[in-house]
Amino acid sequence: MATGGPSKRSAPHDSSNVPPAKKGHWSQGLLAAMNDPNLVVATDDRIVIIKDKYPKARYHFLVIPKINVPNLKSLKREQSELLRYMENQAQMLAINYPQVEFRYGYHAIPSMSQLHLHMISQDFDSPCLKTKRHWNSFNTRYFLDSADVIRCLEERGMVVTMTPIAGEKLLEQPLKCHKCVYSPQNMPKLKQHLYKHINN
DNA sequence: GTTCTAGAAC
DNA sequence: GTTCTAGAAC
């Protein structure tokens, strides 16, 4: 009786109060992918290796630990052994592709929850590679080499990355070919140029 | 992370 | 007129 009318009083489109990611939210998609037989290419008691659902190159895998590791920041010094194991297992898989050049690393500010090591071939020949952000996430300092992450964790006891704002700045950087000085004006021009570096 | 699409860029 | 990018998505 203190209030007369209905109690609906919040601004319906207020975006200052963003809810946390829940189960089923897109950012939790890796947890589902880890259990998708169509994506899993290898597994053991410690890790799962899956095909990236939207590969940004001809070969693009993710190595995911089975224990819950939300992100790089949550890593403790003693978990560097796990990171070494993840990279080792990726390099074991790479033996199956003797002619393919891979890089192994982490996105500085990932969108998806649960730590995942990218193992990506350097052709970047894929219809899923569409945007400048896609390109820069693998071809600027936004892509942290696995070896550097492991070294940092062992020497400093934690993984030091960058602020989200610094990450955004890298993703907005002008396009540049990863193999030469060419700076294309847009993504279609980059994708056409990339074929010059591919020996089929 | 992707999809969709308005309008900027050409 | 077409190509391409970038911001909303309840």
Side-chain angles (χ1 to χ4, degrees):
Chain A
M1 55 181 161
T3 61
S7 61
K8 183 174 181 182
R9 56 185 156 141
S10 63
H13 296 283
D14 188 312
S15 61
S16 63
N17 183 10
V18 178
K22 296 189 181 110
K23 190 162 70 175
H25 187 264
W26 60 261
S27 66
Q28 306 299 311
L30 282 183
L31 281 70
M34 287 171 72
N35 296 310
D36 184 341
N38 291 333
L39 297 179
V40 174
V41 298
T43 185
D44 65 17
D45 57 323
R46 304 181 70 185
I47 56 115
V48 178
I49 306 182
I50 65 171
K51 290 183 283 189
D52 193 294
K53 204 169 174 179
Y54 298 91
K56 305 303 187 294
R58 289 178 184 175
Y59 304 95
H60 185 184
F61 302 99
L62 305 178
V63 184
I64 311 172
K66 283 189 174 176
I67 61 163
N68 183 56
V69 183
N71 51 50
L72 290 170
K73 269 191 222 168
S74 69
L75 286 166
K76 307 298 181 194
R77 190 191 301 272
E78 55 269 26
Q79 289 177 301
S80 72
E81 200 275 329
L82 175 61
L83 297 195
R84 287 182 177 279
Y85 184 76
M86 289 165 63
E87 185 184 322
N88 282 345
Q89 292 303 300
Q91 288 180 348
M92 295 281 285
L93 181 63
I95 294 173
N96 296 328
Y97 308 94
Q99 309 286 48
V100 181
E101 178 193 358
F102 286 100
R103 276 186 80 191
Y104 308 87
Y106 300 86
H107 281 157
I109 315 288
S111 300
M112 308 283 279
S113 185
Q114 182 68 349
L115 189 70
H116 52 285
L117 171 66
H118 289 272
M119 163 183 176
I120 185 165
S121 62
Q122 295 299 292
D123 49 84
F124 293 104
D125 176 21
S126 167
C128 297
L129 180 74
K130 295 176 178 177
T131 70
K132 178 158 76 173
R133 293 172 71 89
H134 288 158
W135 179 257
N136 283 340
S137 74
F138 290 102
N139 293 288
T140 65
R141 287 185 299 104
Y142 193 91
F143 190 80
L144 308 172
D145 276 306
S146 172
D148 294 336
V149 169
I150 291 169
R151 188 179 309 113
C152 183
L153 185 58
E154 293 183 346
E155 289 180 355
R156 307 176 69 171
M158 61 187 295
V159 180
V160 179
T161 58
M162 62 185 68
T163 65
I165 289 186
E168 279 300 310
K169 210 170 167 183
L170 289 169
L171 294 178
E172 297 302 323
Q173 216 94 292
L175 293 170
K176 171 162 179 336
C177 177
H178 64 324
K179 299 270 192 190
C180 72
V181 298
Y182 180 52
S183 290
Q185 203 161 9
N186 55 42
M187 281 302 290
K189 283 173 182 168
L190 172 61
K191 288 172 74 81
Q192 182 161 13
H193 168 83
L194 287 176
Y195 290 109
K196 295 174 183 172
H197 296 298
I198 297 175
N199 306 305
N200 286 290

